[in-house]
Amino acid sequence: MMVLIRNIPAVHEIQQTEVYVELLHNKHIPDLIVKGWIKECLSTLRKDILDDNEKYNDYSRNDFILLVCDHLLKKSDSYYEYNLRTVLNGTGTILHTNLGRARLSEAAIKRVVETSSYYSTLEYNVAEGKRGSRHDIIQDLLAKATNSEAAMVVNNNAAAVYLVLKCLGKGKEVIVSRGELVEIGGSFRVSTIMEESGATLVEVGTTNKTHPYDYEQAITPETGMLMKVHTSNFKTVGFTKDVSTAELKEIASSVMESNETSTNSIIIYEDLGSGSLYPFKHDGIGDEPVVKEALKHGADIVSFSGDKLLGGPQAGIIAGKKSIIDKLKKHPLARVLRVDKMTLAALEATLQSYVYGENVRDIPTIRDILQTKDEIKNKVHVFLDKLPDLSSLWKVEVTEATSQVGGGTMPTVEQDSVGVKITYEGISTSKLEKMFRKISIPVITRVVEDSVFIDFRTIAIDEIPLLHTSFLEVDEQAKKLHTSH
Ligand SMILES: *Cc1c(COP(=O)(O)O)cnc(C)c1O
């Protein structure tokens, strides 16, 4: 065993190999990193020998050097591979939270690149040559897009809910209907956020029915807010009743009028969840409220996500009365939850498409939701027409299906879609699904009726060449599997 240990090369011996030189000078990997890999490999070898001296029994010094070089080459292969990688979304779910929700418009991407390549006016007032506020960047645009007096942006909608409750609800009672006490995936519960914020949750009504008198009876001098939460990811059907924003406004106003001695003002806050700016219901898709409507019906403030139906970057937008927004902007949490310049750049461009743009379909989320079955079918045909030569063991069939919007929005909306059902003779569905994930650009598919299915609603026309490459790669692997049997 001692002999073996003595045969293990030293770091400087590896540094004399061609592989080492290749990594440093051709692959441009920093010396420090390569040295780290060498040390890591040598210490593993030493440990392996101490654990089991049979394993490398007949290894010469040169064999060890080759072994280390092999290890270095493997390491260097994955050195430039990112952990955050591109995938093709074949699930048909447009706002797939696990796959990054909304794709940005070309205009938004361009703005992100420009803003992060140069210095910017993030917090600088060029006219006056002094400090400015990052809130001012999209305040006007947001106000225009939502018909509100003022607006601000934080990290995401969960952060927006937290800021609103902490700043305006802390130490007060906040009334919420039991039917709206939702959990929005990733352990975001309204009740938990409320507890964390220091506001006291007052639940009214039942899971399926809440009436105006439930709120009226629950209001006390400690009431600071009536909160409405959009039940984004589910829908109660049948024997149901909820209280509208307009009704809430009326209740709050009459309480405040009848109680002139009280200095208490009751805020109506609506967490809209996805907060659409585009009226999808006019196209017969779902019945998602648009932000303007919620504000028109009497909400003092609303909050919603930037990367759900809006189709922009991850962000939480709060819009409504100026006096309230000003208070939120001054709260210390606003600094904690502030957004980066890239977010603001992308959001500004996305909002411009809504306010001044010629075609909202420039926003991929809107485009993908509005796509008709014929448009999707056309993409499938483009894909099939140019599909490269594959083994005859493949079967690729055009199949119709339904897809969902996702991201916890429009839960009951099932849209007609088209895609391809794929089988490969001799390879199981689960194996094939896995093979599509384990290639350079993974394709995330759906298993439908025990076949792999790629839904083309979420495959953009310019992604089709990438999808062809994916098929070729899986074809290669499948051939190898077959010949090894
Ligand atoms: C999605 C959602 C949230 C959380 O928004 P994020 O932007 O994901 O943080 C909060 N409330 C509702 C009603 C939602 O649908």
Side-chain angles (χ1 to χ4, degrees), residues 6 44 53 58 77 79 84 91 131 141 177 181 213 301 344 360 410 418 424 433 436 459 464 470 473:
R6 253 185 271 131
T44 311
N53 56 359
D58 49 0
D77 277 347
Y79 180 71
L84 186 58
T91 66
R131 190 190 165 148
L141 207 46
S177 157
L181 281 172
Y213 60 74
I301 44 167
L344 289 169
V360 276
M410 308 203 214
V418 191
Y424 189 105
E433 182 271 339
F436 270 101
I459 302 287
I464 287 174
S470 303
E473 243 181 279

Side-chain angles (χ1 to χ4, degrees), residues 101 156-158 184 188 229-230 232 271 273-274 305 307-308 315:
R101 287 196 189 155
N156 53 22
N157 190 31
I184 315 193
F188 177 80
V229 185
H230 188 61
S232 309
D271 171 13
S274 27
S305 295
D307 57 353
K308 288 187 182 170

Side-chain angles (χ1 to χ4, degrees), residues 173-181 201-206 209-220 223 225-229 241-252 254-255 266-270:
E173 290 173 359
V174 175
I175 306 179
V176 188
S177 157
R178 282 205 173 83
E180 297 172 4
L181 281 172
L201 170 65
V202 178
E203 301 175 31
V204 294
T206 60
K209 281 199 172 198
T210 304
H211 302 275
Y213 60 74
D214 289 318
Y215 287 92
E216 279 159 0
Q217 286 166 3
I219 290 176
T220 73
T223 304
M225 184 186 289
L226 307 185
M227 178 180 180
K228 198 165 166 56
V229 185
K241 158 96 183 99
D242 71 342
V243 181
S244 70
T245 317
E247 286 172 298
L248 287 183
K249 186 68 197 168
E250 219 175 287
I251 295 166
S254 70
V255 167
I266 300 174
I267 293 170
I268 311 290
Y269 165 43
E270 193 162 348

Side-chain angles (χ1 to χ4, degrees), residues 42-284:
L42 294 178
S43 98
T44 311
L45 273 178
R46 244 173 252 123
K47 197 173 158 296
D48 278 358
I49 292 169
L50 291 176
D51 284 351
D52 173 10
N53 56 359
E54 298 290 299
K55 193 167 171 185
Y56 297 106
N57 237 347
D58 49 0
Y59 267 59
S60 70
R61 192 173 200 82
N62 212 35
D63 289 336
F64 278 123
I65 293 179
L66 290 177
L67 196 75
V68 176
C69 286
D70 213 40
H71 173 79
L72 292 182
L73 283 174
K74 276 203 193 108
K75 279 279 196 186
S76 73
D77 277 347
S78 57
Y79 180 71
Y80 288 109
E81 205 175 77
Y82 295 105
N83 285 326
L84 186 58
R85 290 163 64 193
T86 297
V87 300
L88 296 180
N89 176 5
T91 66
T93 303
I94 298 162
L95 297 171
H96 200 302
T97 298
N98 302 143
L99 303 181
R101 287 196 189 155
R103 278 191 281 197
L104 295 179
S105 67
E106 269 177 42
I109 294 164
K110 196 163 157 259
R111 290 299 304 133
V112 171
V113 173
E114 276 174 17
T115 309
S116 47
S117 307
Y118 299 96
Y119 290 108
S120 63
T121 54
L122 181 63
E123 286 186 356
Y124 190 78
N125 183 328
V126 194
E128 294 176 25
K130 59 180 196 199
R131 190 190 165 148
S133 160
R134 73 178 70 204
H135 288 306
D136 293 343
I137 293 175
I138 43 175
Q139 160 114 308
D140 290 346
L141 207 46
L142 267 177
K144 274 205 186 82
T146 62
N147 263 359
S148 62
E149 287 176 11
M152 68 184 288
V153 185
V154 289
N155 190 48
N156 53 22
N157 190 31
V161 175
Y162 186 51
L163 173 63
V164 167
L165 290 175
K166 190 107 187 167
C167 178
L168 308 168
K170 190 178 170 189
K172 294 180 188 161
E173 290 173 359
V174 175
I175 306 179
V176 188
S177 157
R178 282 205 173 83
E180 297 172 4
L181 281 172
V182 295
E183 170 168 324
I184 315 193
S187 76
F188 177 80
R189 277 188 190 177
V190 173
S191 51
T192 317
I193 296 276
M194 187 88 73
E195 200 177 307
E196 201 61 43
S197 72
T200 307
L201 170 65
V202 178
E203 301 175 31
V204 294
T206 60
T207 309
N208 58 333
K209 281 199 172 198
T210 304
H211 302 275
Y213 60 74
D214 289 318
Y215 287 92
E216 279 159 0
Q217 286 166 3
I219 290 176
T220 73
E222 313 309 320
T223 304
M225 184 186 289
L226 307 185
M227 178 180 180
K228 198 165 166 56
V229 185
H230 188 61
T231 52
S232 309
N233 50 6
F234 72 100
K235 201 173 179 98
T236 44
V237 288
F239 193 56
T240 63
K241 158 96 183 99
D242 71 342
V243 181
S244 70
T245 317
E247 286 172 298
L248 287 183
K249 186 68 197 168
E250 219 175 287
I251 295 166
S253 305
S254 70
V255 167
M256 287 189 283
E257 273 163 30
S258 70
N259 199 349
E260 281 159 11
T261 50
S262 165
T263 51
N264 216 12
S265 68
I266 300 174
I267 293 170
I268 311 290
Y269 165 43
E270 193 162 348
D271 171 13
L272 292 170
S274 27
S276 174
L277 296 181
Y278 180 85
F280 289 103
K281 62 183 161 192
H282 293 179
D283 296 85

